[in-house]
Amino acid sequence: MSIIEIKNLEAVIDTEESNTQILKGLNLTINAGEVHAIMGPNGSGKSTLSKVLAGHPDYRITKGEVIFQGKNLLDLDPDERANSGLFLAFQYPVEIPGVNNLNFLRMAYNSKMKFNNQEEMDPLDFDDFIEEKLNILKMKPEFLERNLNEGFSGGEKKKNEILQLLTLNPSLAILDETDSGLDIDALRVVSEGINAYRNKNNAVLLITHYQRLLDYVEPDYVHVLSGGKIIKTGDKTLALELEKEGYAIV
Amino acid sequence: MKSNQDSIKFEESIIRTASKQDIENSSIKDLKKKALEFISSNSFPNKKNEEWKYYDFKDLFSNSSNIFSDTETFRQEALDKKELVMLVDKYVFRESSENLIVTVNGVYREDLSNFNNNDIEISNLSNCKSDQLIDTDSSSKDQYLRSLNTLFIENAFFIKVAKNKKIDKTLQVLHISNQNSFNQIRSAIEIAEGSSLDMVISYVGLEDSSYISNAVIDCHLAKNSNLNFTKIQNDSSNSVTLYSLDVKQDKDSNFDFNSFHFGAKSSRDQITVDLNGTNSNANLNGLYVVNQSRKTHQIITVNHNVERCTSKQLFKGIISDEARAEFNGMIEVKKNAKLTDAKQLNNNLLLSPKAHIDSRPQLNILTDDVKCAHGSTIGQLNEEELFYLQSRGFNKSDAFVTLTYSFCQEILNKIKLDSVKNYATNLAFNNISTDSNGALAKLANNDKFKKSRYAKNLK
Ligand SMILES: Nc1ncnc2c1ncn2[C@@H]1O[C@H](COP(=O)(O)OP(=O)(O)OP(=O)(O)O)[C@@H](O)[C@H]1O
Ligand SMILES: [Mg+2]
């Protein structure tokens, strides 16, 4: 069963300063239970793809369609996409001073519950719920008391993204360079977190520059994105090859 | 020209009305005479005065012509007692139900107040040395407004905390306005040496009443005393409010002021703090949230008159629709005030293209060896932050409310009592132009929030 089908997607950056086409006819289908990795040179459009899927307002779709669990994804607002089960761990998570992390996590969780007509969780139950997730990621409870990402180190921000992944338990997790900036131990812990999340009904799209993460979270497919489209697809050995030879081989 | 004529008309109405008063029988007749003399020979402030430069007199004059037109006495029948008791019930904070002072249309009402604390002395215009307490007009910047107040006050209240008393219960002063009248609120607060007091002063007005309120408050903090003063202005949206607060601080005293502005068609606060004793400290915090075509003006002056004092001002504003706000903050460091440490910051959030702010943080330093910092910011909500929240399932309005709340919670958190904080938080969100469905309740509902184990460390 497919979780997401991206068909011939074209997108432009549409801001006051810029109007450039970045995605130039991208095709990708991800089925339940699969892990896909996307690698590719800097500036090739990987983050653009992830933000387009999440619904960032700076991008305009000029062609193509995206079917997400039977729904037309591009018709949905960003919050509807999230509440329908799409999750993006950002390459650069923003800091939001004055918004408490625990409160934020609970509100995010309950938004999804409400959207799906399920009962919202009260604070005490949520404490127990979140504690279990913290333990998986070996995060200290202090992180809950702080403001959302404010003053977090680079690696701490990435961990906090994965904490959100575990909290929201989406059907598709797009992880944009979550491994960048993690120390060796943190990479292992985060990988364990990702593996804890995985099951046969959901899927993972890993965007990464390094083979190392893929040792922990084994991909079924590895794609090379370059110039706004996927130019090569292989299995996990492709990542090894790329690591050795660089993008010259594709 | 038009506004000049309106001003003259306003002044004439005042003098005409004053002449009908029975000044001779007042317990402060000498002061009233002096005030009348001042009013007769001076004119109402105008735009030539720096501190009134941005003030829009239109609202004041339109309310006044309404008030003075048919009733020469400008005082209508007040609500009956039963209705007033119900209003008091509605607006009293439960922690303060036995430490409550009430005024109605500016007049101190002992019958509605409920007060029983031997360490605090409350007196009124006729049973205290009110002459001394009120004779402060000529030393203040707002002499015209103060004289006006003196001329028309019917009753006032004076609070005195005895020496070396720490008052643990918060005192509430509730000002109710319910008619088209020109209300004169007057009080003086004296904190004796070594004492401390927390008070919440709340202003409420019935929605359809177009009053003008002219409040004058004097505070004196004696040596080593402490006053925590929270003001919550929720006046009728047809009202015009003028407010003059003068605070004088002696050695080692501490003044915490938290000022919230949610109501009124036009509000103007003139706050002047004099640090007269070494090592005294003033923290002034403010939050103004205005929408529609409302206006608010915050004119704040902190005078560092002696050495080694500290002061901090933090004012935040949320301005939407076509509302306008002015922050005019001044730090004056006088010649002798060496080793002053003074800060001032004004942050504003403009939520619509027509919202307007005049922010003027100012310093006037007449000595060396001081630490002073000031600044102001004006901005919109951050798009990336909004998107981040939406990507986590917050709908647009919840994301908007959450970020707006995060902007102002720093000031709301200065309020000590939960009930007061919830009240202020709700008012803040009622004054922002958006439907704030749900999200606020979740964030602001402290009782529910408290239940979390992790909440105990949240500040
Ligand atoms: N807001 C923007 N304004 C102008 N150009 C942009 C904007 N956002 C992205 N771009 C451009 O779009 C291209 C693709 O960027 P994108 O962030 O998707 O690359 P990436 O593949 O994620 O790169 P990296 O590996 O460095 O993260 C780049 O050339 C980038 O400069
Ligand atoms: Mg990127």
Side-chain angles (χ1 to χ4, degrees):
Chain A
M1 194 192 72
S2 85
I3 296 238
I4 195 167
E5 281 173 70
I6 305 169
K7 296 179 194 163
N8 201 21
L9 190 63
E10 295 189 6
V12 297
I13 290 167
D14 195 9
T15 62
E16 270 168 36
E17 306 87 48
S18 177
N19 194 324
T20 325
Q21 183 171 7
I22 309 292
L23 299 184
K24 300 175 179 167
L26 190 140
N27 290 290
L28 180 66
T29 296
I30 301 175
N31 293 313
E34 292 177 351
V35 174
H36 289 235
I38 290 187
M39 303 181 82
N42 294 132
S44 58
K46 301 182 298 296
S47 294
T48 302
L49 171 65
S50 67
K51 284 196 251 175
V52 162
L53 295 177
H56 195 287
D58 282 355
Y59 304 93
R60 190 158 50 84
I61 314 299
T62 49
K63 210 171 169 183
E65 64 170 347
V66 180
I67 307 298
F68 179 67
Q69 296 184 306
K71 287 186 211 171
N72 197 340
L73 186 76
L74 303 177
D75 287 347
L76 305 178
D77 286 339
D79 50 306
E80 296 170 328
R81 300 181 192 198
N83 290 327
S84 308
L86 183 134
F87 178 85
L88 168 60
F90 287 84
Q91 181 174 3
Y92 304 110
V94 298
E95 301 194 9
I96 310 194
V99 173
N100 166 261
N101 202 19
L102 175 65
N103 247 350
F104 160 74
L105 288 162
R106 197 178 69 237
M107 281 179 74
Y109 180 84
N110 283 334
S111 293
K112 187 173 177 182
M113 289 293 134
K114 203 164 116 194
F115 184 85
N116 294 308
N117 294 318
Q118 284 172 281
E119 205 184 317
E120 298 183 34
M121 204 185 278
D122 83 55
L124 267 186
D125 292 336
F126 192 78
D127 285 349
D128 295 334
F129 172 81
I130 201 74
E131 193 166 283
E132 188 192 313
K133 316 290 177 202
L134 278 175
N135 289 340
I136 295 175
L137 295 169
K138 299 195 167 50
M139 284 174 81
K140 295 204 184 88
E142 280 92 271
F143 283 103
L144 299 176
E145 294 161 25
R146 289 171 64 174
N147 286 331
L148 180 49
N149 292 331
E150 191 186 22
F152 284 29
S153 75
E156 287 165 353
K157 282 181 189 158
K158 296 301 180 68
K159 270 198 178 178
N160 205 41
E161 294 289 288
I162 300 305
L163 180 64
Q164 294 168 45
L165 167 71
L166 297 181
T167 303
L168 297 173
N169 192 28
S171 21
L172 176 64
I174 305 169
L175 310 179
D176 190 359
E177 293 198 33
T178 300
D179 52 339
S180 299
L182 291 178
D183 69 45
I184 299 158
D185 295 333
L187 179 65
R188 196 165 28 79
V189 170
V190 161
S191 304
E192 281 163 15
I194 299 169
N195 286 327
Y197 150 76
R198 287 179 59 189
N199 64 43
K200 62 179 187 337
N201 298 316
N202 62 28
V204 181
L205 177 60
L206 297 170
I207 297 171
T208 183
H209 286 296
Y210 308 107
Q211 151 67 25
R212 197 199 303 270
L213 172 69
L214 306 181
D215 287 341
Y216 293 110
V217 186
E218 256 189 47
D220 301 292
Y221 299 95
V222 174
H223 309 278
V224 178
L225 199 161
S226 181
K229 50 180 152 189
I230 287 175
I231 57 165
K232 191 177 170 93
T233 294
D235 61 13
K236 62 182 178 192
T237 58
L238 177 59
L240 285 166
E241 264 175 73
L242 289 171
E243 179 120 317
K244 233 187 277 155
E245 313 283 341
Y247 289 108
I249 60 163
V250 293
Chain B
M1 262 305 85
K2 173 84 169 57
S3 91
N4 196 14
Q5 284 165 14
D6 286 342
S7 181
I8 290 167
K9 209 171 122 202
F10 180 44
E11 288 159 16
E12 283 171 357
S13 312
I14 288 165
I15 291 166
R16 192 174 61 240
T17 312
S19 66
K20 298 203 168 118
Q21 275 207 114
D22 186 6
I23 291 182
E24 284 304 324
N25 281 323
S26 163
S27 61
I28 52 162
K29 73 171 183 212
D30 292 343
L31 289 176
K32 281 189 183 260
K33 280 181 180 165
K34 211 164 106 186
L36 180 59
E37 212 170 288
F38 184 88
I39 298 282
S40 310
S41 50
N42 287 276
S43 45
F44 198 83
N46 58 48
K47 280 178 177 288
K48 286 192 198 110
N49 182 333
E50 264 300 299
E51 292 179 333
W52 291 82
K53 194 169 149 188
Y54 294 94
Y55 190 76
D56 187 348
F57 290 83
K58 203 173 67 236
D59 298 319
L60 176 72
F61 294 147
S62 87
N63 275 23
S64 72
S65 71
N66 181 16
I67 291 164
F68 287 108
S69 64
D70 24 60
T71 52
E72 287 292 321
T73 56
F74 67 75
R75 192 162 284 294
Q76 307 166 346
E77 267 315 294
L79 289 182
D80 70 24
K81 176 104 183 257
K82 219 164 100 194
E83 287 169 292
L84 285 170
V85 167
M86 272 161 59
L87 276 177
V88 171
D89 264 2
K90 181 171 168 197
Y91 288 106
V92 67
F93 297 112
R94 69 186 135 79
E95 295 87 346
S96 300
S97 57
E98 289 177 356
N99 294 282
L100 178 68
I101 290 173
V102 178
T103 77
V104 177
N105 299 317
V107 184
Y108 170 39
R109 292 282 297 259
E110 281 155 282
D111 57 329
L112 295 168
S113 303
N114 183 12
F115 198 83
N116 196 353
N117 187 326
N118 293 332
D119 296 331
I120 307 181
E121 188 190 316
I122 311 270
S123 49
N124 63 30
L125 207 52
S126 54
N127 67 10
C128 74
K129 294 196 199 94
S130 47
D131 278 37
Q132 275 172 19
L133 288 164
I134 286 184
D135 193 12
T136 55
D137 296 357
S138 58
S139 63
S140 167
K141 284 192 192 175
D142 279 327
Q143 195 172 351
Y144 193 97
L145 292 178
R146 285 181 164 250
S147 300
L148 207 53
N149 183 289
T150 304
L151 185 55
F152 289 123
I153 33 175
E154 289 177 24
N155 202 356
F157 61 90
F158 307 99
I159 298 170
K160 188 170 180 194
V161 179
K163 242 180 164 179
N164 294 319
K165 300 291 179 196
K166 305 248 177 288
I167 309 300
D168 54 356
K169 284 253 169 59
T170 298
L171 169 66
Q172 183 182 2
V173 180
L174 173 60
H175 297 285
I176 298 173
S177 299
N178 61 23
Q179 60 188 12
N180 298 347
S181 52
F182 191 9
N183 300 336
Q184 312 297 337
I185 294 168
R186 186 66 172 251
S187 62
I189 296 148
E190 163 82 25
I191 315 290
E193 189 179 329
S195 294
S196 73
L197 176 69
D198 287 356
M199 51 190 250
V200 177
I201 307 203
S202 47
Y203 294 80
V204 299
L206 288 202
E207 251 335 290
D208 51 358
S209 38
S210 308
Y211 51 91
I212 301 171
S213 93
N214 178 30
V216 175
I217 301 176
D218 286 293
C219 296
H220 176 229
L221 280 70
K223 210 168 110 186
N224 200 24
S225 68
N226 191 45
L227 175 61
N228 187 305
F229 183 132
T230 296
K231 172 192 175 180
I232 302 182
Q233 184 268 99
N234 181 27
D235 276 292
S236 143
S237 53
N238 291 316
S239 67
V240 172
T241 69
L242 300 164
Y243 187 84
S244 162
L245 169 66
D246 275 23
V247 180
K248 308 230 179 308
Q249 292 187 239
D250 294 350
K251 195 170 179 297
D252 296 321
S253 64
N254 181 60
F255 179 54
D256 286 304
F257 180 61
N258 306 310
S259 170
F260 296 89
H261 283 266
F262 304 123
K265 168 162 71 173
S266 160
S267 59
R268 182 185 186 277
D269 283 28
Q270 174 113 29
I271 290 152
T272 309
V273 177
D274 278 285
L275 298 167
N276 294 334
T278 53
N279 205 30
S280 52
N281 173 55
N283 288 327
L284 312 181
N285 303 295
L287 174 67
Y288 41 91
V289 186
V290 281
N291 62 359
Q292 294 162 7
S293 59
R294 299 174 26 232
K295 292 142 207 138
T296 188
H297 302 265
Q298 302 295 316
I299 291 94
I300 319 288
T301 309
V302 176
N303 292 315
H304 282 258
N305 298 324
V306 296
E307 60 178 37
R308 286 173 211 277
C309 293
T310 50
S311 70
K312 211 162 134 186
Q313 303 171 43
L314 176 61
F315 278 71
K316 290 195 173 193
I318 301 174
I319 306 143
S320 43
D321 302 334
E322 294 169 17
R324 300 176 78 87
E326 174 191 3
F327 172 81
N328 182 344
M330 173 63 102
I331 301 171
E332 290 259 9
V333 182
K334 300 290 159 64
K335 238 189 179 130
N336 305 325
K338 288 196 188 328
L339 300 171
T340 285
D341 187 344
K343 292 191 193 70
Q344 180 191 65
L345 182 61
N346 176 226
N347 301 126
N348 297 283
L349 196 53
L350 296 185
L351 296 179
S352 70
K354 285 194 177 156
H356 184 86
I357 169 80
D358 293 298
S359 178
R360 298 195 295 164
Q362 302 176 74
L363 283 174
N364 188 15
I365 303 176
L366 303 176
T367 185
D368 313 323
D369 204 6
V370 297
K371 251 174 41 193
C372 290
H374 72 157
S376 77
T377 65
I378 299 168
Q380 281 95 39
L381 288 179
N382 180 307
E383 290 288 336
E384 292 301 321
E385 294 177 10
L386 276 171
F387 177 65
Y388 190 82
L389 294 180
Q390 284 178 275
S391 79
R392 299 303 182 243
F394 289 57
N395 65 34
K396 215 170 192 154
S397 117
D398 283 1
F400 184 93
V401 170
T402 301
L403 291 182
T404 311
Y405 179 69
S406 83
F407 173 82
C408 63
Q409 63 144 9
E410 183 179 8
I411 309 291
L412 290 164
N413 281 345
K414 310 266 182 199
I415 302 177
K416 289 187 185 172
L417 291 180
D418 279 347
S419 55
V420 181
K421 188 153 113 182
N422 288 341
Y423 173 71
T425 305
N426 284 320
L427 288 175
F429 281 87
N430 287 340
N431 281 1
I432 299 169
S433 272
T434 178
D435 70 313
S436 46
N437 49 10
L440 167 74
K442 280 180 236 160
L443 276 167
N445 194 337
N446 291 324
D447 289 342
K448 199 169 174 192
F449 182 39
K450 277 259 157 57
K451 276 201 244 143
S452 165
R453 268 183 276 131
Y454 299 113
K456 60 184 181 300
N457 296 318
L458 298 174
K459 266 267 140 45

